Amino acid sequence: MKNKLHSLLFSTLVGLLGFSCTDLEEKPIGVLAPEGLFKTVTDVQTAINGAYGHIASEPLYGRNFVLALMLKSDMADIGDRTTAAARQQVNDFNMDASNGLVASFWPRWYIVISSVNAAIRGGESLGLPQEQINPTLAEARFVRAFSYFHLVQNFGAIPYIDAFVTDPESVKSISKTPEEEVYARIIADLEFAKQWLPDQQPADVRTRPTKGSAATCLASLYLTQGNYQKAYTEAKWIIDNKDKFGYRLEADFQDLYISTKADQLKETIFAVDFIGQKVGNDATNDDLMGAITGIRGTDQNGWSVAVPTMKVYTSWDSRDYRKKVSFEDSMKIGGVVKPYTAFPTAARPHIAKFARYPGNANSEGRYSDHNYFCFRYAEVLLIAAEALAEVNGGPNEEAMGYINQIRARARNWAGKQTAFPANVTSGLSKQAFIDLVLEERRLELAFEFKRWYDIKRRKLGDMVFKGANSLEPHANFTADRDYLMPFLSTEMTINPALTQNPGY
């Protein structure tokens, strides 16, 4: 989606004309209706493209939001303890109502939502036949669903706004929408998107959604809710139609994280696109994940912020090709290759997925060409396996087969076939197989902003942060508090109808 930067000015305008809690006191504008801005379907698409640009920004997928997801998991710890206090709060489970990461990404998600709400209202006002306008409206509704799916998982009950706001005063008293109602509205948007989106976008662009993207988001949502029959149904529909959608596992796991190959990957179902060495307004297109996860004090010149603990590395079997791809355990220092024990800031292996092949980026890996996965086909197989085992009361050949497809790919070391990891064999109990799938998700999707959601939906916090086998111990983890993030005190000052989440 290389035209997004050209759409940002328009999208920022319609976004700020809509809802942005943090800005309400300072910028109480919102009297311009979409009917005055949108004259053609192209105008509607322009606003949607601009919304993508806001997702591909520093506050969201460029750093702050995805970094928060990564640090809350048990797969990444703080490496350089001189980093910002807001990051340390998230990592150490001592967030408060003034957390700087939340202050960055909370209003940006609502700018995205306001942009697509404006696009939806503007598109509906054109009075076009369904066949002409609904595919574009479906794209906007997918983006809205995707945004709210992230917000509801992290905050629970939230203000849900599905209309363009023309009176900013009205949102100063909007109350939280119950969590289940938010999910119901997300499902309605995704069902509409699944009906009206194309099987493939023009030129097979994977950074715009398709029917398969909507179904995958539905499968993930149902898995999150514990509705395993519906999760399996959606995942199986995608698997059965993979050829129509153009999905497959890439042969070489490393190819998934080489930014110059991102636009050709058939495993991508939906991704966030960054354009190397270009920066827009409002920190759009500013990707910092390569720098955040890179190695400070080495020739790579990263920042050592999100760095796995040693146990994350040592517990991963070195016969698994995915470990080699996922970690950087040596790096040149002064032109000489040194092991991780010589890394000067955080002497342990670092994350390689974003820093190793950033493409057209600066020397720190910033401003990369990466497309960040939101959903890829391997995750569909994992969803199908987990959900089917839950529905059947245990694994069958079909469920095991989905895991075996993923493991077969993991045995391919850049064209050289190995014997590890072995196929799953019969005889596992339901719980043993579910545990196996969750572990497979942890490895296959490592550092891709999924692990925290798995911990939350399966209520694994006490085990993974306090258990004997904890990869990243946090004795202060509190289930009654830490599965949700706090609402900002500034938001509650502006809107007294908002109530704080428990424990904050």
Side-chain angles (χ1 to χ4, degrees):
M1 266 271 303
K2 302 304 182 189
N3 63 341
K4 68 185 177 194
L5 291 177
H6 304 293
S7 307
L8 284 173
L9 181 60
F10 184 80
S11 176
T12 301
L13 173 63
V14 298
L16 292 176
L17 287 174
F19 177 70
S20 177
C21 286
T22 303
D23 292 337
L24 284 175
E25 292 291 345
E26 298 178 1
K27 300 180 222 178
I29 56 179
V31 296
L32 194 60
E35 291 86 342
L37 293 173
F38 296 88
K39 301 298 185 182
T40 66
V41 176
T42 299
D43 293 337
V44 179
Q45 186 65 56
T46 297
I48 299 169
N49 292 350
Y52 292 134
H54 284 296
I55 296 174
S57 69
E58 181 198 2
L60 298 183
Y61 270 74
R63 173 164 61 175
N64 292 341
F65 178 69
V66 291
L67 178 62
L69 296 182
M70 186 184 289
L71 292 176
K72 281 181 77 73
S73 80
D74 61 345
M75 291 291 283
D77 194 13
I78 296 289
D80 183 354
R81 278 283 168 177
T82 68
T83 195
R87 300 167 188 165
Q88 299 189 52
Q89 281 188 349
V90 174
N91 184 80
D92 298 344
F93 293 106
N94 59 12
M95 295 174 73
D96 60 31
S98 62
N99 182 266
L101 293 188
V102 176
S104 173
F105 64 70
W106 168 269
R108 187 58 64 101
W109 275 123
Y110 276 102
I111 287 177
V112 172
I113 291 165
S114 182
S115 295
V116 292
N117 281 345
I120 292 166
R121 178 166 165 179
E124 291 172 343
S125 73
L126 297 178
L128 298 172
Q130 287 187 346
E131 292 74 16
Q132 188 173 348
I133 191 60
N134 278 6
T136 306
L137 297 179
E139 188 168 358
R141 290 182 67 170
F142 174 89
V143 173
R144 183 170 68 186
F146 177 77
S147 303
Y148 275 124
F149 189 29
H150 278 304
L151 285 169
V152 73
Q153 288 180 93
N154 285 288
F155 294 95
I158 50 174
Y160 185 93
I161 300 173
D162 60 358
F164 185 77
V165 177
T166 57
D167 176 14
E169 293 295 320
S170 67
V171 298
K172 290 185 181 181
S173 59
I174 188 170
S175 60
K176 293 182 184 179
T177 303
E179 191 171 337
E180 286 306 306
E181 184 177 341
V182 174
Y183 276 113
R185 295 187 183 193
I186 294 171
I187 290 168
D189 275 349
L190 291 174
E191 291 286 5
F192 184 88
K194 183 180 173 183
Q195 177 184 357
W196 287 101
L197 285 171
D199 294 338
Q200 296 185 28
Q201 287 287 352
D204 197 24
V205 170
R206 304 291 176 110
T207 52
R208 294 176 62 188
T210 62
K211 290 183 186 295
S213 310
T216 302
C217 197
L218 278 169
S220 179
L221 183 151
Y222 288 132
L223 194 75
T224 299
Q225 289 186 314
N227 190 334
Y228 297 111
Q229 180 59 66
K230 287 189 175 181
Y232 170 70
T233 298
E234 294 293 342
K236 185 64 163 59
W237 183 77
I238 299 160
I239 293 166
D240 289 344
N241 290 280
K242 66 181 185 301
D243 293 336
K244 180 168 64 174
F245 300 138
Y247 300 151
R248 67 165 186 258
L249 295 179
E250 295 294 332
D252 190 332
F253 190 70
Q254 179 65 80
D255 286 349
L256 298 174
Y257 313 102
I258 300 175
S259 64
T260 54
K261 296 186 177 184
D263 291 337
Q264 290 77 49
L265 297 174
K266 299 303 182 183
E267 190 161 336
T268 305
I269 292 178
F270 181 64
V272 174
D273 183 10
F274 284 87
I275 307 169
Q277 297 282 15
K278 292 185 179 180
V279 184
N281 295 327
D282 296 325
T284 51
N285 203 57
D286 188 357
D287 171 31
L288 299 102
M289 289 307 296
I292 284 284
T293 58
I295 310 166
R296 187 183 291 278
T298 71
D299 292 3
Q300 188 183 76
N301 200 29
W303 301 344
S304 291
V305 174
V307 183
T309 64
M310 277 305 303
K311 198 168 183 180
V312 173
Y313 178 77
T314 58
S315 65
W316 195 328
D317 196 305
S318 294
R319 295 173 293 174
D320 189 335
Y321 180 54
R322 293 172 297 186
K323 179 179 182 179
K324 176 180 175 61
V325 170
S326 299
F327 290 96
E328 205 71 82
D329 57 11
S330 64
M331 182 55 59
K332 287 183 178 180
I333 302 177
V336 179
V337 176
K338 300 283 188 179
Y340 65 83
T341 52
F343 294 171
T345 301
R348 54 188 194 262
H350 283 50
I351 297 166
K353 284 186 173 180
F354 314 128
R356 184 177 286 161
Y357 297 113
N360 182 23
N362 73 3
S363 61
E364 297 176 328
R366 187 174 181 174
Y367 314 125
S368 82
D369 277 321
H370 279 302
N371 289 358
Y372 286 96
F373 295 115
C374 303
F375 301 110
R376 56 184 175 91
Y377 185 63
E379 187 177 0
V380 173
L381 298 176
L382 289 161
I383 291 171
E386 182 179 350
L388 182 55
E390 288 282 4
V391 170
N392 284 348
N396 58 12
E397 289 296 324
E398 181 185 346
M400 292 186 293
Y402 296 138
I403 302 300
N404 289 339
Q405 288 184 49
I406 292 171
R407 290 190 168 188
R409 195 255 300 275
R411 295 194 291 267
N412 173 25
W413 284 63
K416 180 182 178 181
Q417 294 299 314
T418 64
F420 186 90
N423 280 348
V424 181
T425 56
S426 58
L428 291 176
S429 67
K430 172 186 170 182
Q431 189 57 53
F433 184 77
I434 296 299
D435 291 344
L436 180 148
V437 175
L438 290 171
E439 180 69 359
E440 202 70 28
R441 285 180 63 93
R442 187 179 71 84
L443 302 179
E444 175 69 24
L445 306 175
F447 316 123
E448 295 179 36
F449 327 125
K450 300 284 184 175
R451 175 63 175 171
W452 170 245
Y453 288 147
D454 284 349
I455 292 171
K456 181 179 184 296
R457 70 183 174 85
R458 284 288 184 173
K459 299 296 185 286
L460 301 176
D462 284 328
M463 181 181 72
V464 302
F465 296 119
K466 297 180 178 179
N469 297 317
S470 174
L471 301 174
E472 185 187 334
H474 288 288
N476 66 321
F477 172 83
T478 303
D480 292 341
R481 178 193 65 206
D482 292 322
Y483 284 130
L484 296 178
M485 295 183 183
F487 287 94
L488 294 169
S489 56
T490 53
E491 295 292 322
M492 293 186 293
T493 299
I494 294 169
N495 180 6
L498 286 179
T499 56
Q500 186 57 275
N501 280 328
Y504 294 105

